[in-house]
Amino acid sequence: MNYPIPANTPEVGTFRQKFVDEELIATAIVGVVDVARSKGQSLEDLITEVLADDALLDYQQRHRLSEIIAVAWESLV
């Protein structure tokens, strides 16, 4: 990957760019998982947040994202 993995919540927000590709999305997901773990959150806590936040994604998109985050969480153990 050519992107640094974000170490905290503000760094995750800096990934907003004009062009977004799969690599950038994967990097952001890894960053979100790492930040959640560093804050002592469980996978369930993180999924609850993802499913509750409806600012950008509809329910179906949030549900799919929560599944992807769960896979990333388990892969990064």
Side-chain angles (χ1 to χ4, degrees), residues 4-26:
I5 295 173
N8 54 51
T9 304
E11 286 184 14
V12 172
T14 64
F15 279 101
R16 294 181 183 166
Q17 297 179 352
K18 291 182 181 179
F19 180 75
V20 178
D21 61 12
E22 294 87 3
E23 187 175 321
L24 182 59
I25 293 168

Side-chain angles (χ1 to χ4, degrees), residues 50-51 57-68:
V50 169
L51 292 175
L57 304 175
D58 64 32
Y59 178 78
Q60 189 173 29
Q61 292 168 323
R62 291 190 317 272
H63 182 71
R64 180 67 182 130
L65 179 57
S66 71
E67 292 172 346
I68 293 167

